[in-house]
Amino acid sequence: MALLSVLTPVLAVVLCLVIGFMLVRSRETETTSTPPRKTEGPKKADFRPWVDQDLQDDTEITAKEEEDGDWADSHEEEDLLHVPYSPPRYPEETMLQRSKDLYTLMNQRRSVRFISPEPVPREVIDDVIRTAGTAPSGAHTEPWTFVVVSDPDTKHQIRQIVEEEEEVNYRQRMGDKWVNDLAKLKTNWIKDYLDVAPYLVLVFKQTYGILPKDKKRTHYYNEISVSISCGILLAALQNVGLVTVTSTPLNCGPQLRILLKRPANEKLLILLPVGYPASDATVPDLKRKPLDDIMVHI
């Protein structure tokens, strides 16, 4: 009995050590056998419903894209000739007057949702598009395609696609805050102007170029380049007395690309109904920020 009383504490210690060892081994096994957790999706605070999923195209070429296509080598292009450049230089008084005149003209530009069906000369639209095509672009790749639609049936199909998606946007995707911010502008998912305007201009960005022999060309900063061309396009429309509203129909890009038979490298950036303002057109009485609020002079 004396021997048993001495051994009992020892046996208890050994038993505890064995149990502890078994627990450690069990945890190690679970750690190695459990697959890694999937990366969590964007947090609610990071969710940005206004970012069209069809526009998620990086300028950088991914490894998969590099493997999937035959990309052109920039060294394959011929040397570019450089020529003298001497634009007109105006006296300071003329410069000041021209700057004021252009500001006065552009300050009258408004987003107009009430557009007249009155025909617009096709030559005017051609020149406006040519003007937009003078925009600068990354490595002069000119990554833009302007699809001009005047066919009534095609315009109506575009309207059906846009309104169907826009109703979902307003009711589900955009959220209360965004919808409330738009309420003062009295805008909704009904887009009558898509049928009424004599022209619809759909601006696509080319995420890469397609060269002869199916080679691909990198289009650097394609979205920024096309956005600049859109700004020039708006100025050109204002210059000839036409109006538009900058429409960015969320998640309509793929359907419209297929409808208009555009290739897979093109993604819709903006949709512009173009025409004269309707005789009863109205616009919100908005004010623009003063110069001190938008410029910092250092």
Side-chain angles (χ1 to χ4, degrees):
M1 292 296 294
L3 179 59
L4 183 60
S5 62
V6 172
L7 290 177
T8 299
V10 176
L11 291 173
V13 171
V14 172
L15 183 60
C16 290
L17 291 174
V18 171
I19 294 174
F21 177 77
M22 292 176 65
L23 289 173
V24 171
R25 287 297 301 273
S26 175
R27 290 180 180 177
E28 289 179 351
T29 302
E30 290 177 359
T31 303
T32 56
S33 62
T34 302
R37 294 182 180 178
K38 294 182 180 180
T39 304
E40 294 181 359
K43 297 178 180 179
K44 186 173 182 180
D46 298 329
F47 180 55
R48 299 185 298 164
W50 55 89
V51 178
D52 194 322
Q53 295 303 308
D54 192 42
L55 295 179
Q56 300 307 294
D57 301 294
D58 294 331
T59 294
E60 299 294 333
I61 303 171
T62 65
K64 184 178 185 303
E65 289 174 327
E66 192 82 55
E67 295 172 358
D68 288 347
D70 185 10
W71 291 84
D73 188 344
S74 59
H75 297 294
E76 295 177 4
E77 300 181 10
E78 298 179 359
D79 291 338
L80 186 63
L81 177 66
H82 284 228
V83 297
Y85 178 64
S86 300
R89 179 166 179 170
Y90 304 104
E92 289 187 7
E93 296 81 4
T94 304
M95 291 172 61
L96 182 59
Q97 187 59 51
R98 287 172 65 92
S99 68
K100 290 183 180 299
D101 290 345
L102 181 59
Y103 167 70
T104 299
L105 174 67
M106 294 308 302
N107 194 37
Q108 296 170 4
R109 188 209 60 77
R110 300 300 304 270
S111 294
V112 179
R113 294 174 173 83
F114 304 97
I115 300 177
S116 169
E118 182 181 353
V120 173
R122 170 65 188 275
E123 294 79 9
V124 172
I125 300 300
D126 290 348
D127 286 338
V128 164
I129 300 298
R130 285 192 185 98
T131 303
T134 67
S137 59
H140 192 61
T141 52
E142 301 175 293
W144 39 67
T145 300
F146 300 90
V147 179
V148 179
V149 179
S150 58
D151 175 66
D153 290 339
T154 305
K155 288 194 298 180
H156 188 65
Q157 290 181 69
I158 291 172
R159 178 181 177 179
Q160 289 179 318
I161 292 172
V162 170
E163 288 188 343
E164 181 178 353
E165 287 293 334
E166 282 286 80
E167 183 174 4
V168 178
N169 294 335
Y170 272 82
R171 293 186 182 278
Q172 299 178 21
R173 298 186 183 119
M174 292 164 57
D176 293 339
K177 184 179 185 304
W178 191 0
V179 173
N180 291 336
D181 286 342
L182 291 174
K184 63 183 179 182
L185 303 179
K186 297 182 180 179
T187 179
N188 54 39
W189 62 83
I190 305 300
K191 312 293 183 185
D192 294 333
Y193 50 74
L194 295 178
D195 270 326
V196 175
Y199 293 101
L200 302 182
V201 179
L202 293 91
V203 186
F204 288 81
K205 68 171 189 175
Q206 302 169 5
T207 56
Y208 57 85
I210 301 177
L211 302 176
K213 299 181 181 179
D214 292 328
K215 285 194 173 183
K216 297 179 180 179
R217 182 185 187 188
T218 305
H219 280 176
Y220 306 97
Y221 299 107
N222 52 74
E223 187 164 331
I224 295 176
S225 300
V226 180
S227 297
I228 295 172
S229 75
C230 288
I232 296 177
L233 175 58
L234 294 177
L237 290 171
Q238 181 70 15
N239 183 58
V240 297
L242 298 176
V243 298
T244 187
V245 54
T246 51
S247 171
T248 52
L250 190 66
N251 291 317
C252 295
Q255 296 180 72
L256 294 177
R257 179 179 64 79
I258 293 172
L259 172 66
L260 300 173
K261 297 180 173 60
R262 302 313 307 158
N265 66 314
E266 295 188 5
K267 310 294 181 183
L268 180 65
L269 188 67
I270 198 168
L271 189 163
L272 301 172
V274 174
Y276 299 107
S279 58
D280 58 349
T282 60
V283 295
D285 187 18
L286 302 175
K287 307 300 180 185
R288 292 188 166 94
K289 294 180 178 180
L291 183 63
D292 289 344
D293 284 358
I294 65 174
M295 184 182 76
V296 176
H297 188 189
I298 300 176

